[in-house]
Amino acid sequence: MTETPTPKLHINHLLGMENVSREDITLMLDTGMSFREVLERPIKKVPTLNGKTIVNLFFESSTRTRIAFELAERRLSADVVNFAASGSSVSKGETFKDTVKNIEAMKIDMIVVRHESPGVPLFLTRISDATIINAGDGAHEHPTQALLDMMTLREKFGTLDGLRVGIVGDISHSRVALSNIYGLKTMGAKVSLCGPKTMMPKFIEQLGVEVFHNIDDVIPNVDALNVLRIQRERLHAVLFPSNEEYNKYFGVTKKRLEKARKPITILHPGPINRDVEISADVADSEHSFILHQVLNGVAVRMGILFLLGTKGKAN
Amino acid sequence: MNSSYLFKNAHVIDPLTKTDEITSVLVENGNIKKIAKKISTEKNTRVIDCNGIILAPGFCDMHTHLREPGYEHKETIETGLTSAANGGFTAVACMPNTNPAVDSAATVEYIKSQARKSVPAVEVFPIAAATKSREGKELSPIAELAEAGAVALSDDGSPVENADLVRRILEYGSMYNLPFIQHCEDKSLAGKGVINEGFISTTLGMSAIPRLAETTMLQRDVQIVEYVKGKYHAAHLSVKESIEIMRQAKKKKLNVSCEVTPHHFSLTDEEVRSFNTNTKMNPPLRTQDDVDELLVGLHDGTIDVIASDHAPHSIDEKDVEYIYAPFGIVGFETTIGLCVTKLIETKTLTWKQLIDKLSVNPRKILSLHEIKIEVGEKANFTLIDAKKEWTVDVQQFKSKSKNSPFDKWKLKGKAMGIYNNGMYIESK
């Protein structure tokens, strides 16, 4: 009897969702689901990455992503090192490259990186031999967030094929939106975007998405809404007059959702600004999958770490 | 030092004397002694075999950054001029964004004296700051700067944003025949952008600079020029609408001119997908539509000048995260190759047109002495092997910095050498 080989990813690093194949996304989601089962056990730990060293390199503040990665790594029995740098490497006097080279000299296998500059994960692949996982690079990509969102939606709806997903909020400054667009489109979902024009990249329609500026036009036509956080710290210019006005015209409220023919599944990458982009009653409703996303965030990251960490040396 | 040179069987192209023929040029003591098909030489004459080589009036790069004083770790006047010579330039005008900025006669004189000491075959013409310390608040001492030898006024690296100040610079500068060279960028529109605003910036999640940042300032400036006259030159234009603005301004016979760089007509923002910081320049690389219109503008004469915007940065400064990398690339040593490959080989420009843009027009705009390939004139040549195919290797650059997106590119056309001020420098 021949043994079925374990499926392997075609990618050596997870830098983003752009250009990741349907096959690879499916494998990551399936693997994530199998680790969800591990998380339900009394002993939530497996020895899969025993002996592997992973550095969480966070140049930008993060709570849930960093904790989710750290939990995922520890539950796979990896040795974990956390590196948090506030501000830029340049402002600290040491270059980013030198920082990485120093860390790498300590013999590490994987780097999970978050940085405010788009392209840093790719830059890392050029200066390091470690396997790189992007935990968010500026407003570029946040692939593990997209994967956990897709995992949550697939769990709820059974498939992503033909699913109608709306993404609402500050699309211009959102790495979550971009990764979700790439991933959902690859998996056959129909993506609609909604937000003020000031928060909508001018050329976004070329990615094959529909763009709306009135949330009431979107709600009747979607199965799920991914509500983005209004990220005040990223808004370099004044892109909207006030939180109140944003809430009035773009906020996802119970009253608005009642216009839908059937209940809409609500996702949010967190943290939530209650009664700005989402009302408290929606965030806490039975159709809100926000906390479910958090659990899936650990599971899908375990899946990704497992798949990349056991793949062998990256090219 | 050999004082006699025979440039034998060269293809001499000189737009000013309307020369376009294979001939030989004898130079003695720095001056053109004879031009003829056959010239017999003395024993001590050095003969340069120019068979298949174009001999043109020395090229002048009117937009460069030599970084000295203040940023000698990027480039010094000596390394910059060595690089310029290797790229085929006998003259360069250098921008004032040094430290201190070139806003005093002393700094103008310092640059000139350093240049004379280092590579005397390449002449240096300092461009002075239009405003004190390039802060865009007060006029720099323009008369004093002109007297010291500044050839133009600019705050390049930054725009002069204040419209009234632009008006005053044009008015005051015109008394000394100094053109104002504007870096057209409305900072309020450009914000913290690092690449062109377009589909690529959308997919990369990059802060972006809209084309409007260039055109709104250019349009405004053209209106100021129309009102007050004065001599205006728009630096490194990058978007197609700018070319139309210039076209209309020229139709009105305004005293305006403009330049483009080889990287803006050779590359698009698609290159930024690599996140290679050598694709980061200001203005940013634009789209294929823009490149196409730059080529039209070069062809129809709307664009007067090709300038390298040679902007050296050290490896350490560029080998960082994209958003922290400085803007700019080196350009002296790839300019001719890119011009031949992208403009001559594609028949966008004739050799005469190219020489106008690399030699004749920059000198005209900066009111420099005309160069003619005529008996009795001072010899000032650039030699180009138009057929030479070569691969760019940044490590071979004479510039102190190696920040070029063209590394490993295969180009056709290379500078073979320069002759100026009685000296012949062969390119490597």
Side-chain angles (χ1 to χ4, degrees):
Chain A
M1 201 175 99
T2 53
E3 204 178 316
T4 314
T6 314
K8 292 222 184 285
L9 289 172
H10 296 91
I11 51 175
N12 293 322
H13 309 276
L14 183 63
L15 307 179
M17 295 310 296
E18 191 182 13
N19 304 322
V20 177
S21 68
R22 189 181 175 108
E23 195 184 344
D24 276 357
I25 293 174
T26 305
L27 178 57
M28 287 189 274
L29 297 181
D30 289 347
T31 314
M33 274 314 287
S34 64
F35 279 111
R36 255 280 298 282
E37 289 162 28
V38 173
L39 293 177
E40 309 289 347
R41 295 179 198 163
I43 306 292
K44 303 172 181 62
K45 194 158 181 165
V46 288
T48 317
L49 294 186
N50 205 353
K52 297 275 184 188
T53 307
I54 304 174
V55 175
N56 296 317
L57 202 55
F58 278 64
F59 285 85
E60 246 189 4
S61 59
S62 163
T63 305
R64 68 193 62 208
T65 303
R66 194 182 55 74
I67 290 174
F69 264 111
E70 193 174 336
L71 268 179
E73 290 152 3
R74 292 191 191 283
R75 283 171 179 176
L76 294 169
S77 304
D79 295 320
V80 180
V81 181
N82 288 313
F83 176 94
S86 55
S88 75
S89 55
V90 176
S91 71
K92 291 182 61 135
E94 186 182 44
T95 68
F96 176 75
K97 188 175 174 179
D98 284 342
T99 304
V100 172
K101 285 285 179 198
N102 274 289
I103 290 169
E104 189 168 72
M106 301 174 202
K107 302 294 173 200
I108 53 158
D109 301 293
M110 300 176 93
I111 296 175
V112 175
V113 63
R114 168 167 287 194
H115 198 288
E116 66 172 321
S117 178
V120 158
L122 179 64
F123 181 53
L124 270 177
T125 65
R126 292 175 185 149
I127 59 174
S128 166
D129 290 330
T131 300
I132 310 298
I133 297 175
N134 181 3
D137 57 335
H140 181 215
E141 286 233 41
H142 193 355
T144 57
Q145 178 70 42
L147 285 162
L148 77 89
D149 289 345
M150 287 191 276
M151 184 171 159
T152 308
L153 290 171
R154 200 177 69 155
E155 201 183 345
K156 165 82 167 84
F157 293 98
T159 179
L160 297 171
D161 238 325
L163 197 69
R164 299 167 307 167
V165 182
I167 305 175
V168 191
D170 181 6
I171 311 294
S172 288
H173 296 91
S174 175
R175 50 191 170 214
V176 176
L178 214 45
S179 283
N180 262 282
I181 291 168
Y182 292 134
L184 286 166
K185 294 279 298 169
T186 302
M187 298 306 285
K190 185 176 171 237
V191 180
S192 304
L193 305 179
C194 183
K197 259 192 180 172
T198 49
M199 293 176 165
M200 195 65 69
K202 203 166 179 293
F203 302 87
I204 196 82
E205 278 161 313
Q206 289 180 43
L207 286 177
V209 293
E210 277 192 293
V211 173
F212 297 89
H213 302 299
N214 184 344
I215 191 156
D216 295 320
D217 293 338
V218 178
I219 284 173
N221 299 309
V222 293
D223 303 301
L225 270 184
N226 196 344
V227 187
L228 303 177
R229 189 165 69 93
I230 293 300
Q231 300 179 75
R232 276 214 163 272
E233 75 274 18
R234 286 186 187 279
L235 305 183
H236 304 303
V238 179
L239 301 182
F240 63 102
S242 67
N243 285 350
E244 291 72 27
E245 181 161 319
Y246 184 87
N247 179 255
K248 189 174 172 189
Y249 293 95
F250 294 93
V252 176
T253 60
K254 199 173 173 189
K255 197 174 159 197
R256 282 209 159 98
L257 291 174
E258 280 166 2
K259 290 178 195 161
R261 279 176 295 237
K262 56 183 180 180
I264 293 177
T265 297
I266 301 294
L267 304 183
H268 190 302
I272 293 168
N273 294 310
R274 283 174 185 262
D275 297 319
V276 180
E277 70 269 2
I278 191 166
S279 64
D281 49 8
V282 173
D284 300 332
S285 76
E286 59 180 312
H287 302 297
S288 163
F289 279 64
I290 298 171
L291 293 176
H292 205 73
Q293 284 173 275
V294 177
L295 173 68
N296 283 343
V298 178
V300 87
R301 287 177 178 113
M302 286 175 80
I304 293 156
L305 288 161
F306 164 74
L307 289 167
L308 290 173
T310 56
K311 197 170 187 277
K313 193 82 177 164
N315 290 333
Chain B
M1 196 169 75
N2 204 327
S3 60
S4 284
Y5 286 84
L6 177 68
F7 296 91
K8 197 175 172 187
N9 296 327
H11 182 180
V12 175
I13 307 177
D14 178 5
L16 289 180
T17 59
K18 298 190 169 47
T19 309
D20 186 349
E21 61 175 339
I22 311 286
T23 190
S24 298
V25 182
L26 179 67
V27 174
E28 279 184 13
N29 300 320
N31 294 315
I32 300 174
K33 182 79 176 170
K34 195 171 181 184
I35 300 175
K37 299 265 183 209
K38 283 188 180 170
I39 299 175
S40 54
T41 54
E42 304 285 326
K43 205 174 171 185
N44 65 346
T45 300
R46 183 173 167 192
V47 179
I48 315 284
D49 181 6
C50 290
N51 196 11
I53 303 296
I54 289 170
L55 188 155
F59 289 170
C60 171
D61 191 339
M62 69 173 284
H63 189 148
T64 76
H65 300 270
L66 297 180
R67 303 300 191 203
E68 189 182 344
Y71 304 106
E72 287 82 356
H73 64 289
K74 299 171 192 269
E75 192 86 283
T76 62
I77 289 172
E78 183 171 5
T79 58
L81 297 189
T82 307
S83 175
N86 201 43
F89 295 95
T90 64
V92 300
C94 54
M95 286 295 177
N97 56 339
T98 49
N99 187 16
V102 186
D103 62 359
S104 70
T107 316
V108 173
E109 277 154 13
Y110 171 80
I111 291 169
K112 284 165 60 183
S113 79
Q114 286 297 101
R116 275 194 300 271
K117 277 191 273 181
S118 56
V119 187
V122 183
E123 291 159 278
V124 174
F125 299 99
I127 295 169
T131 67
K132 281 180 194 162
S133 304
R134 297 176 50 253
E135 285 177 351
K137 291 176 184 159
E138 295 174 72
L139 288 182
S140 61
I142 291 173
E144 181 189 306
L145 289 162
E147 198 178 325
V151 295
L153 302 166
S154 180
D155 278 0
D156 184 62
S158 307
V160 176
E161 294 188 82
N162 183 304
D164 183 55
L165 207 43
V166 169
R167 168 188 177 161
R168 303 307 172 193
I169 292 163
L170 285 165
E171 287 175 337
Y172 206 95
S174 69
M175 296 193 296
Y176 304 95
N177 198 27
L178 293 182
F180 169 52
I181 303 176
Q182 177 72 297
H183 168 119
C184 298
E185 183 188 17
D186 183 322
K187 289 279 189 191
S188 67
L189 284 164
K192 291 186 176 175
V194 292
I195 70 168
N196 176 51
E197 183 173 77
F199 179 62
I200 305 297
S201 68
T202 298
T203 61
L204 299 183
M206 291 265 205
S207 298
I209 303 172
R211 51 209 308 110
L212 275 180
E214 179 172 301
T215 54
T216 51
M217 185 169 280
L218 180 64
Q219 186 72 67
R220 175 201 79 173
D221 283 359
V222 165
Q223 285 182 289
I224 298 171
V225 175
E226 192 169 7
Y227 188 67
V228 301
K229 310 302 174 205
K231 199 171 174 184
Y232 180 88
H233 179 82
H236 46 49
L237 293 181
S238 65
V239 304
K240 65 176 180 182
E241 292 85 354
S242 297
I243 308 309
E244 185 54 28
I245 293 168
M246 288 305 299
R247 202 172 274 132
Q248 295 307 321
K250 286 184 167 193
K251 268 189 194 159
K252 290 182 180 172
K253 308 281 183 211
L254 303 181
N255 196 353
V256 294
S257 55
C258 66
E259 74 194 25
V260 292
T261 71
H263 44 277
H264 286 114
F265 66 67
S266 301
L267 302 170
T268 68
D269 57 356
E270 281 284 345
E271 301 290 327
V272 185
R273 284 190 187 280
S274 65
F275 290 106
N276 177 354
T277 54
N278 289 327
T279 63
K280 185 174 172 182
M281 51 272 284
N282 191 4
L285 297 173
R286 304 288 186 179
T287 66
Q288 190 60 48
D289 267 3
D290 296 303
V291 170
D292 292 344
E293 184 59 22
L294 296 188
L295 297 178
V296 172
L298 281 162
H299 177 77
D300 70 17
T302 306
I303 298 165
D304 307 89
V305 167
I306 295 168
S308 73
D309 193 3
H310 179 80
H313 294 291
S314 73
I315 288 170
D316 287 345
E317 289 167 305
K318 275 286 194 181
D319 207 5
V320 296
E321 305 92 311
Y322 201 93
I323 61 172
Y324 302 139
F327 291 101
I329 63 167
V330 291
F332 284 139
E333 294 169 78
T334 47
T335 291
I336 289 176
L338 289 164
C339 287
V340 174
T341 307
K342 297 285 181 181
L343 305 177
I344 296 290
E345 288 290 306
T346 57
K347 301 200 186 316
T348 304
L349 294 184
T350 63
W351 271 103
K352 182 203 162 292
Q353 286 174 305
L354 181 62
I355 293 165
D356 272 337
K357 292 175 205 305
L358 283 168
S359 179
V360 179
N361 295 345
R363 290 172 189 283
K364 203 181 286 175
I365 291 161
L366 299 175
S367 303
L368 306 180
H369 189 268
E370 279 184 341
I371 295 174
K372 289 181 184 167
I373 302 178
E374 249 178 9
V375 174
E377 289 287 321
K378 182 185 166 197
N380 183 339
F381 311 141
T382 292
L383 302 172
I384 308 140
D385 185 343
K387 301 274 181 262
K388 188 174 177 68
E389 292 181 3
W390 60 293
T391 303
V392 178
D393 177 359
V394 294
Q395 296 311 320
Q396 302 299 316
F397 283 175
K398 302 290 180 194
S399 171
K400 198 167 187 177
S401 294
K402 316 293 175 195
N403 49 310
S404 169
F406 300 111
D407 193 29
K408 308 287 180 283
W409 272 44
K410 288 188 179 2
L411 295 179
K412 196 166 182 184
K414 195 171 188 305
M416 196 197 155
I418 58 167
Y419 183 93
N420 190 26
N421 287 338
M423 280 159 274
Y424 176 65
I425 299 179
E426 204 168 328
S427 294
K428 300 288 180 223

